[in-house]
Amino acid sequence: VYLEQGLCDKAESEFSACVKIDGLKNEAFYYLGETYFAVEKYEQARDNFIKALNLNFENSAIHYKLGVIYFKENELESSASEFKKLLAADRENIDAYYHLALIEMAYAKYDEAILKLRKVVNKRSTSDIYVKIAEALYKSDNFEAAVEEAQKSLQKDAACVDAHYFLGLSLKELKKYRDAELSFNRCREIDPKYYRAQLELGIIYN
């Protein structure tokens, strides 16, 4: 009840007391992990989720949360393993596909990442998904397709600074320097601290 109400301190006290009374109560470890996850105490959350799993607690949500934690800790192989377990239980889980795509991008496996992101965008056509596709396409030297995806992102959110940035990068590679300049300047208008756009403008001007 406390966790559902957002009273995380009270939830932590309650579930901590439960595991002290009964160290084999897997649900208590799980909900204690959920409580720590909610307040971004990821190390404690991870430890309690693992204890719950070791006590045969099985819930697809635990694999999602562990996947996110490992991703934040840059433990990419462990993160991928958890998201694959999540997909084994739920083949259509969009969050799992999205995070696996991000992991594949980190390993420069752009074609595999794009395939997964296409699955995601079919069900969640948001600006941030389109911009990730644009990024993967740009990094795989598919500049014209990257322009198209960045433009789709901007149709969803005209203030998406990353979309303007990858649009500018792709246009620059296509030697459309004036259009690229406009995109990078738009980045700076939206976020004056977006230093990457300033660097690209310096390259164009020189």
Side-chain angles (χ1 to χ4, degrees), residues 98 101-102 105-106 110 113-114 117 127-143 145-147 149-150 153 162-163 165-167 169-170 194 196:
Y98 178 69
L102 296 185
M105 287 178 69
Y110 300 118
I114 290 165
L117 289 168
S127 178
D128 60 313
I129 306 301
Y130 281 117
V131 80
K132 280 296 174 186
I133 298 174
E135 179 182 350
L137 287 165
Y138 167 77
K139 290 180 176 178
S140 58
D141 296 334
N142 197 339
F143 304 122
V147 167
E149 297 301 325
S153 175
D162 287 337
Y165 177 69
F166 283 105
L167 178 59
L169 288 178
S170 301
Y194 201 85
R196 295 189 296 174

mmCIF file of all heavy atoms in Angstrom, residues 98 101-102 105-106 110 113-114 117 127-143 145-147 149-150 153 162-163 165-167 169-170 194 196:
data_model
loop_
_atom_site.group_PDB
_atom_site.id
_atom_site.type_symbol
_atom_site.label_atom_id
_atom_site.label_comp_id
_atom_site.label_asym_id
_atom_site.label_seq_id
_atom_site.Cartn_x
_atom_site.Cartn_y
_atom_site.Cartn_z
ATOM 1 N N TYR A 98 13.446 -1.907 -27.344
ATOM 2 C CA TYR A 98 14.081 -0.589 -27.360
ATOM 3 C C TYR A 98 15.445 -0.627 -26.673
ATOM 4 O O TYR A 98 16.447 -0.138 -27.228
ATOM 5 C CB TYR A 98 13.177 0.432 -26.677
ATOM 6 C CG TYR A 98 13.776 1.822 -26.606
ATOM 7 C CD1 TYR A 98 13.940 2.584 -27.761
ATOM 8 C CD2 TYR A 98 14.193 2.361 -25.400
ATOM 9 C CE1 TYR A 98 14.502 3.853 -27.714
ATOM 10 C CE2 TYR A 98 14.753 3.623 -25.336
ATOM 11 C CZ TYR A 98 14.900 4.360 -26.494
ATOM 12 O OH TYR A 98 15.466 5.611 -26.438
ATOM 13 N N ALA A 101 17.979 -2.516 -28.625
ATOM 14 C CA ALA A 101 18.461 -1.697 -29.741
ATOM 15 C C ALA A 101 19.539 -0.722 -29.270
ATOM 16 O O ALA A 101 20.564 -0.539 -29.942
ATOM 17 C CB ALA A 101 17.299 -0.936 -30.375
ATOM 18 N N LEU A 102 19.332 -0.102 -28.118
ATOM 19 C CA LEU A 102 20.337 0.821 -27.586
ATOM 20 C C LEU A 102 21.644 0.101 -27.295
ATOM 21 O O LEU A 102 22.743 0.641 -27.541
ATOM 22 C CB LEU A 102 19.816 1.492 -26.308
ATOM 23 C CG LEU A 102 18.584 2.391 -26.441
ATOM 24 C CD1 LEU A 102 18.289 3.058 -25.104
ATOM 25 C CD2 LEU A 102 18.774 3.445 -27.522
ATOM 26 N N MET A 105 23.409 -0.558 -30.519
ATOM 27 C CA MET A 105 24.036 0.678 -30.997
ATOM 28 C C MET A 105 25.350 0.925 -30.258
ATOM 29 O O MET A 105 26.327 1.393 -30.859
ATOM 30 C CB MET A 105 23.088 1.859 -30.833
ATOM 31 C CG MET A 105 21.940 1.853 -31.833
ATOM 32 S SD MET A 105 20.776 3.215 -31.621
ATOM 33 C CE MET A 105 21.787 4.619 -32.109
ATOM 34 N N ALA A 106 25.377 0.608 -28.982
ATOM 35 C CA ALA A 106 26.620 0.786 -28.210
ATOM 36 C C ALA A 106 27.735 -0.107 -28.740
ATOM 37 O O ALA A 106 28.921 0.235 -28.638
ATOM 38 C CB ALA A 106 26.360 0.487 -26.733
ATOM 39 N N TYR A 110 24.523 -1.523 -35.940
ATOM 40 C CA TYR A 110 23.458 -0.598 -36.307
ATOM 41 C C TYR A 110 22.321 -1.272 -37.080
ATOM 42 O O TYR A 110 21.154 -0.920 -36.882
ATOM 43 C CB TYR A 110 24.036 0.571 -37.096
ATOM 44 C CG TYR A 110 25.061 1.345 -36.298
ATOM 45 C CD1 TYR A 110 26.385 1.432 -36.724
ATOM 46 C CD2 TYR A 110 24.713 1.954 -35.089
ATOM 47 C CE1 TYR A 110 27.326 2.119 -35.980
ATOM 48 C CE2 TYR A 110 25.645 2.639 -34.337
ATOM 49 C CZ TYR A 110 26.955 2.718 -34.789
ATOM 50 O OH TYR A 110 27.881 3.394 -34.044
ATOM 51 N N ALA A 113 20.155 -2.976 -34.622
ATOM 52 C CA ALA A 113 19.455 -1.963 -33.823
ATOM 53 C C ALA A 113 18.286 -1.373 -34.597
ATOM 54 O O ALA A 113 17.185 -1.194 -34.043
ATOM 55 C CB ALA A 113 20.427 -0.863 -33.415
ATOM 56 N N ILE A 114 18.508 -1.092 -35.875
ATOM 57 C CA ILE A 114 17.446 -0.498 -36.693
ATOM 58 C C ILE A 114 16.256 -1.440 -36.814
ATOM 59 O O ILE A 114 15.096 -1.006 -36.717
ATOM 60 C CB ILE A 114 17.996 -0.119 -38.086
ATOM 61 C CG1 ILE A 114 18.966 1.063 -37.956
ATOM 62 C CG2 ILE A 114 16.863 0.245 -39.042
ATOM 63 C CD1 ILE A 114 19.824 1.291 -39.182
ATOM 64 N N LEU A 117 14.358 -1.171 -33.599
ATOM 65 C CA LEU A 117 13.706 0.131 -33.479
ATOM 66 C C LEU A 117 12.496 0.235 -34.412
ATOM 67 O O LEU A 117 11.517 0.903 -34.086
ATOM 68 C CB LEU A 117 14.704 1.251 -33.766
ATOM 69 C CG LEU A 117 15.776 1.463 -32.693
ATOM 70 C CD1 LEU A 117 16.878 2.378 -33.209
ATOM 71 C CD2 LEU A 117 15.165 2.035 -31.412
ATOM 72 N N SER A 127 8.716 10.866 -31.141
ATOM 73 C CA SER A 127 9.872 11.583 -31.663
ATOM 74 C C SER A 127 11.183 10.933 -31.260
ATOM 75 O O SER A 127 12.111 10.820 -32.074
ATOM 76 C CB SER A 127 9.836 13.037 -31.162
ATOM 77 O OG SER A 127 10.965 13.745 -31.602
ATOM 78 N N ASP A 128 11.292 10.488 -30.011
ATOM 79 C CA ASP A 128 12.557 9.937 -29.530
ATOM 80 C C ASP A 128 12.915 8.627 -30.225
ATOM 81 O O ASP A 128 14.099 8.329 -30.414
ATOM 82 C CB ASP A 128 12.528 9.748 -28.013
ATOM 83 C CG ASP A 128 11.433 8.794 -27.568
ATOM 84 O OD1 ASP A 128 10.304 8.939 -28.042
ATOM 85 O OD2 ASP A 128 11.707 7.913 -26.737
ATOM 86 N N ILE A 129 11.912 7.840 -30.642
ATOM 87 C CA ILE A 129 12.206 6.593 -31.354
ATOM 88 C C ILE A 129 12.697 6.908 -32.761
ATOM 89 O O ILE A 129 13.693 6.336 -33.228
ATOM 90 C CB ILE A 129 10.975 5.680 -31.416
ATOM 91 C CG1 ILE A 129 10.398 5.438 -30.007
ATOM 92 C CG2 ILE A 129 11.334 4.353 -32.085
ATOM 93 C CD1 ILE A 129 11.368 4.795 -29.051
ATOM 94 N N TYR A 130 12.018 7.823 -33.436
ATOM 95 C CA TYR A 130 12.458 8.193 -34.782
ATOM 96 C C TYR A 130 13.874 8.754 -34.777
ATOM 97 O O TYR A 130 14.671 8.483 -35.684
ATOM 98 C CB TYR A 130 11.503 9.215 -35.400
ATOM 99 C CG TYR A 130 10.226 8.625 -35.941
ATOM 100 C CD1 TYR A 130 8.985 8.978 -35.413
ATOM 101 C CD2 TYR A 130 10.255 7.710 -36.995
ATOM 102 C CE1 TYR A 130 7.805 8.438 -35.917
ATOM 103 C CE2 TYR A 130 9.079 7.162 -37.498
ATOM 104 C CZ TYR A 130 7.856 7.536 -36.956
ATOM 105 O OH TYR A 130 6.702 6.990 -37.458
ATOM 106 N N VAL A 131 14.211 9.529 -33.752
ATOM 107 C CA VAL A 131 15.542 10.122 -33.728
ATOM 108 C C VAL A 131 16.608 9.061 -33.478
ATOM 109 O O VAL A 131 17.738 9.156 -34.000
ATOM 110 C CB VAL A 131 15.631 11.271 -32.706
ATOM 111 C CG1 VAL A 131 15.802 10.786 -31.290
ATOM 112 C CG2 VAL A 131 16.800 12.204 -33.060
ATOM 113 N N LYS A 132 16.278 8.020 -32.728
ATOM 114 C CA LYS A 132 17.227 6.924 -32.539
ATOM 115 C C LYS A 132 17.448 6.174 -33.846
ATOM 116 O O LYS A 132 18.578 5.750 -34.151
ATOM 117 C CB LYS A 132 16.746 5.970 -31.448
ATOM 118 C CG LYS A 132 17.021 6.448 -30.042
ATOM 119 C CD LYS A 132 18.520 6.543 -29.802
ATOM 120 C CE LYS A 132 18.833 7.155 -28.451
ATOM 121 N NZ LYS A 132 20.290 7.373 -28.294
ATOM 122 N N ILE A 133 16.386 6.003 -34.625
ATOM 123 C CA ILE A 133 16.546 5.377 -35.942
ATOM 124 C C ILE A 133 17.428 6.252 -36.824
ATOM 125 O O ILE A 133 18.324 5.762 -37.523
ATOM 126 C CB ILE A 133 15.182 5.137 -36.605
ATOM 127 C CG1 ILE A 133 14.327 4.166 -35.769
ATOM 128 C CG2 ILE A 133 15.370 4.569 -38.015
ATOM 129 C CD1 ILE A 133 12.911 3.999 -36.276
ATOM 130 N N ALA A 134 17.193 7.562 -36.777
ATOM 131 C CA ALA A 134 18.007 8.499 -37.558
ATOM 132 C C ALA A 134 19.473 8.405 -37.151
ATOM 133 O O ALA A 134 20.374 8.393 -38.012
ATOM 134 C CB ALA A 134 17.498 9.924 -37.379
ATOM 135 N N GLU A 135 19.722 8.322 -35.858
ATOM 136 C CA GLU A 135 21.096 8.208 -35.365
ATOM 137 C C GLU A 135 21.763 6.935 -35.877
ATOM 138 O O GLU A 135 22.918 6.961 -36.345
ATOM 139 C CB GLU A 135 21.103 8.229 -33.835
ATOM 140 C CG GLU A 135 22.492 8.084 -33.236
ATOM 141 C CD GLU A 135 22.476 8.047 -31.720
ATOM 142 O OE1 GLU A 135 21.417 8.315 -31.116
ATOM 143 O OE2 GLU A 135 23.536 7.738 -31.134
ATOM 144 N N ALA A 136 21.038 5.804 -35.780
ATOM 145 C CA ALA A 136 21.604 4.530 -36.236
ATOM 146 C C ALA A 136 21.867 4.554 -37.737
ATOM 147 O O ALA A 136 22.897 4.045 -38.212
ATOM 148 C CB ALA A 136 20.660 3.386 -35.877
ATOM 149 N N LEU A 137 20.956 5.146 -38.493
ATOM 150 C CA LEU A 137 21.144 5.239 -39.944
ATOM 151 C C LEU A 137 22.332 6.129 -40.284
ATOM 152 O O LEU A 137 23.137 5.811 -41.170
ATOM 153 C CB LEU A 137 19.869 5.767 -40.602
ATOM 154 C CG LEU A 137 18.701 4.776 -40.661
ATOM 155 C CD1 LEU A 137 17.405 5.508 -40.986
ATOM 156 C CD2 LEU A 137 18.967 3.686 -41.700
ATOM 157 N N TYR A 138 22.443 7.251 -39.589
ATOM 158 C CA TYR A 138 23.589 8.147 -39.824
ATOM 159 C C TYR A 138 24.899 7.421 -39.536
ATOM 160 O O TYR A 138 25.845 7.496 -40.333
ATOM 161 C CB TYR A 138 23.467 9.393 -38.945
ATOM 162 C CG TYR A 138 24.752 10.192 -38.911
ATOM 163 C CD1 TYR A 138 25.112 11.005 -39.983
ATOM 164 C CD2 TYR A 138 25.624 10.099 -37.833
ATOM 165 C CE1 TYR A 138 26.310 11.713 -39.977
ATOM 166 C CE2 TYR A 138 26.820 10.800 -37.808
ATOM 167 C CZ TYR A 138 27.158 11.605 -38.883
ATOM 168 O OH TYR A 138 28.341 12.279 -38.868
ATOM 169 N N LYS A 139 24.946 6.699 -38.422
ATOM 170 C CA LYS A 139 26.184 6.028 -38.033
ATOM 171 C C LYS A 139 26.503 4.834 -38.929
ATOM 172 O O LYS A 139 27.632 4.351 -38.919
ATOM 173 C CB LYS A 139 26.114 5.617 -36.562
ATOM 174 C CG LYS A 139 26.173 6.813 -35.621
ATOM 175 C CD LYS A 139 26.096 6.410 -34.164
ATOM 176 C CE LYS A 139 26.256 7.643 -33.255
ATOM 177 N NZ LYS A 139 26.143 7.296 -31.821
ATOM 178 N N SER A 140 25.509 4.378 -39.678
ATOM 179 C CA SER A 140 25.765 3.312 -40.652
ATOM 180 C C SER A 140 25.902 3.879 -42.071
ATOM 181 O O SER A 140 25.801 3.147 -43.057
ATOM 182 C CB SER A 140 24.653 2.254 -40.599
ATOM 183 O OG SER A 140 23.388 2.829 -40.854
ATOM 184 N N ASP A 141 26.103 5.200 -42.151
ATOM 185 C CA ASP A 141 26.373 5.909 -43.422
ATOM 186 C C ASP A 141 25.189 5.895 -44.388
ATOM 187 O O ASP A 141 25.370 6.045 -45.598
ATOM 188 C CB ASP A 141 27.609 5.335 -44.124
ATOM 189 C CG ASP A 141 28.879 5.529 -43.307
ATOM 190 O OD1 ASP A 141 28.918 6.480 -42.498
ATOM 191 O OD2 ASP A 141 29.816 4.729 -43.463
ATOM 192 N N ASN A 142 23.991 5.749 -43.869
ATOM 193 C CA ASN A 142 22.786 5.791 -44.703
ATOM 194 C C ASN A 142 22.151 7.164 -44.512
ATOM 195 O O ASN A 142 21.138 7.323 -43.832
ATOM 196 C CB ASN A 142 21.828 4.673 -44.288
ATOM 197 C CG ASN A 142 20.775 4.391 -45.332
ATOM 198 O OD1 ASN A 142 20.495 5.242 -46.179
ATOM 199 N ND2 ASN A 142 20.180 3.221 -45.273
ATOM 200 N N PHE A 143 22.752 8.169 -45.143
ATOM 201 C CA PHE A 143 22.446 9.554 -44.810
ATOM 202 C C PHE A 143 21.066 10.005 -45.307
ATOM 203 O O PHE A 143 20.367 10.738 -44.595
ATOM 204 C CB PHE A 143 23.539 10.467 -45.354
ATOM 205 C CG PHE A 143 24.914 10.094 -44.876
ATOM 206 C CD1 PHE A 143 25.922 9.786 -45.779
ATOM 207 C CD2 PHE A 143 25.192 10.018 -43.524
ATOM 208 C CE1 PHE A 143 27.185 9.427 -45.338
ATOM 209 C CE2 PHE A 143 26.455 9.651 -43.064
ATOM 210 C CZ PHE A 143 27.447 9.353 -43.985
ATOM 211 N N ALA A 145 18.367 8.181 -45.758
ATOM 212 C CA ALA A 145 17.346 7.591 -44.891
ATOM 213 C C ALA A 145 17.355 8.252 -43.514
ATOM 214 O O ALA A 145 16.297 8.430 -42.892
ATOM 215 C CB ALA A 145 17.574 6.080 -44.758
ATOM 216 N N ALA A 146 18.541 8.633 -43.041
ATOM 217 C CA ALA A 146 18.636 9.319 -41.750
ATOM 218 C C ALA A 146 17.902 10.652 -41.787
ATOM 219 O O ALA A 146 17.232 11.037 -40.819
ATOM 220 C CB ALA A 146 20.106 9.528 -41.381
ATOM 221 N N VAL A 147 18.017 11.360 -42.916
ATOM 222 C CA VAL A 147 17.298 12.633 -43.076
ATOM 223 C C VAL A 147 15.792 12.396 -42.947
ATOM 224 O O VAL A 147 15.089 13.140 -42.243
ATOM 225 C CB VAL A 147 17.626 13.276 -44.448
ATOM 226 C CG1 VAL A 147 16.645 14.406 -44.755
ATOM 227 C CG2 VAL A 147 19.052 13.807 -44.451
ATOM 228 N N GLU A 149 14.159 9.999 -41.388
ATOM 229 C CA GLU A 149 13.746 9.640 -40.022
ATOM 230 C C GLU A 149 13.849 10.838 -39.089
ATOM 231 O O GLU A 149 12.995 11.023 -38.204
ATOM 232 C CB GLU A 149 14.581 8.478 -39.500
ATOM 233 C CG GLU A 149 14.427 7.194 -40.293
ATOM 234 C CD GLU A 149 12.999 6.674 -40.334
ATOM 235 O OE1 GLU A 149 12.269 6.827 -39.340
ATOM 236 O OE2 GLU A 149 12.618 6.093 -41.366
ATOM 237 N N ALA A 150 14.871 11.674 -39.280
ATOM 238 C CA ALA A 150 14.985 12.879 -38.453
ATOM 239 C C ALA A 150 13.808 13.812 -38.712
ATOM 240 O O ALA A 150 13.261 14.433 -37.778
ATOM 241 C CB ALA A 150 16.304 13.587 -38.738
ATOM 242 N N SER A 153 10.849 12.556 -36.898
ATOM 243 C CA SER A 153 10.969 12.921 -35.485
ATOM 244 C C SER A 153 10.500 14.349 -35.255
ATOM 245 O O SER A 153 9.759 14.638 -34.303
ATOM 246 C CB SER A 153 12.421 12.759 -35.027
ATOM 247 O OG SER A 153 12.585 13.205 -33.702
ATOM 248 N N ASP A 162 17.949 16.687 -30.634
ATOM 249 C CA ASP A 162 18.748 15.609 -31.229
ATOM 250 C C ASP A 162 18.334 15.350 -32.669
ATOM 251 O O ASP A 162 19.171 15.008 -33.512
ATOM 252 C CB ASP A 162 18.604 14.325 -30.411
ATOM 253 C CG ASP A 162 19.355 14.392 -29.090
ATOM 254 O OD1 ASP A 162 20.311 15.185 -28.987
ATOM 255 O OD2 ASP A 162 18.991 13.653 -28.166
ATOM 256 N N ALA A 163 17.057 15.505 -32.968
ATOM 257 C CA ALA A 163 16.587 15.314 -34.349
ATOM 258 C C ALA A 163 17.199 16.376 -35.263
ATOM 259 O O ALA A 163 17.656 16.070 -36.371
ATOM 260 C CB ALA A 163 15.070 15.365 -34.411
ATOM 261 N N TYR A 165 19.968 17.849 -34.753
ATOM 262 C CA TYR A 165 21.403 17.571 -34.820
ATOM 263 C C TYR A 165 21.714 16.480 -35.847
ATOM 264 O O TYR A 165 22.582 16.670 -36.715
ATOM 265 C CB TYR A 165 21.913 17.161 -33.437
ATOM 266 C CG TYR A 165 23.366 16.789 -33.414
ATOM 267 C CD1 TYR A 165 24.357 17.750 -33.611
ATOM 268 C CD2 TYR A 165 23.758 15.472 -33.195
ATOM 269 C CE1 TYR A 165 25.704 17.409 -33.584
ATOM 270 C CE2 TYR A 165 25.102 15.123 -33.167
ATOM 271 C CZ TYR A 165 26.072 16.095 -33.364
ATOM 272 O OH TYR A 165 27.398 15.747 -33.345
ATOM 273 N N PHE A 166 21.000 15.357 -35.771
ATOM 274 C CA PHE A 166 21.286 14.273 -36.713
ATOM 275 C C PHE A 166 20.803 14.613 -38.121
ATOM 276 O O PHE A 166 21.377 14.140 -39.111
ATOM 277 C CB PHE A 166 20.710 12.954 -36.215
ATOM 278 C CG PHE A 166 21.542 12.353 -35.114
ATOM 279 C CD1 PHE A 166 21.108 12.399 -33.794
ATOM 280 C CD2 PHE A 166 22.772 11.793 -35.399
ATOM 281 C CE1 PHE A 166 21.895 11.878 -32.783
ATOM 282 C CE2 PHE A 166 23.566 11.274 -34.396
ATOM 283 C CZ PHE A 166 23.133 11.316 -33.077
ATOM 284 N N LEU A 167 19.793 15.464 -38.214
ATOM 285 C CA LEU A 167 19.407 15.979 -39.519
ATOM 286 C C LEU A 167 20.553 16.814 -40.103
ATOM 287 O O LEU A 167 20.934 16.651 -41.274
ATOM 288 C CB LEU A 167 18.144 16.826 -39.397
ATOM 289 C CG LEU A 167 17.632 17.490 -40.684
ATOM 290 C CD1 LEU A 167 17.326 16.448 -41.760
ATOM 291 C CD2 LEU A 167 16.391 18.339 -40.380
ATOM 292 N N LEU A 169 23.784 16.659 -39.303
ATOM 293 C CA LEU A 169 24.927 15.804 -39.630
ATOM 294 C C LEU A 169 24.726 15.099 -40.973
ATOM 295 O O LEU A 169 25.644 15.023 -41.795
ATOM 296 C CB LEU A 169 25.129 14.761 -38.534
ATOM 297 C CG LEU A 169 25.679 15.231 -37.194
ATOM 298 C CD1 LEU A 169 25.767 14.052 -36.241
ATOM 299 C CD2 LEU A 169 27.047 15.882 -37.349
ATOM 300 N N SER A 170 23.523 14.576 -41.178
ATOM 301 C CA SER A 170 23.243 13.840 -42.414
ATOM 302 C C SER A 170 23.261 14.765 -43.621
ATOM 303 O O SER A 170 23.798 14.423 -44.683
ATOM 304 C CB SER A 170 21.894 13.128 -42.298
ATOM 305 O OG SER A 170 21.898 12.230 -41.203
ATOM 306 N N TYR A 194 24.036 23.251 -26.347
ATOM 307 C CA TYR A 194 24.210 22.049 -27.171
ATOM 308 C C TYR A 194 25.499 22.216 -27.983
ATOM 309 O O TYR A 194 25.493 22.604 -29.146
ATOM 310 C CB TYR A 194 23.000 21.864 -28.087
ATOM 311 C CG TYR A 194 22.805 20.460 -28.596
ATOM 312 C CD1 TYR A 194 22.119 19.523 -27.841
ATOM 313 C CD2 TYR A 194 23.295 20.064 -29.835
ATOM 314 C CE1 TYR A 194 21.911 18.231 -28.307
ATOM 315 C CE2 TYR A 194 23.105 18.772 -30.312
ATOM 316 C CZ TYR A 194 22.411 17.866 -29.541
ATOM 317 O OH TYR A 194 22.216 16.581 -30.014
ATOM 318 N N ARG A 196 27.690 20.307 -29.319
ATOM 319 C CA ARG A 196 28.009 19.526 -30.522
ATOM 320 C C ARG A 196 27.597 20.262 -31.796
ATOM 321 O O ARG A 196 28.291 20.191 -32.818
ATOM 322 C CB ARG A 196 27.328 18.152 -30.460
ATOM 323 C CG ARG A 196 27.838 17.263 -29.333
ATOM 324 C CD ARG A 196 27.286 15.855 -29.453
ATOM 325 N NE ARG A 196 25.840 15.810 -29.297
ATOM 326 C CZ ARG A 196 25.117 14.701 -29.472
ATOM 327 N NH1 ARG A 196 25.700 13.572 -29.835
ATOM 328 N NH2 ARG A 196 23.800 14.725 -29.293
#
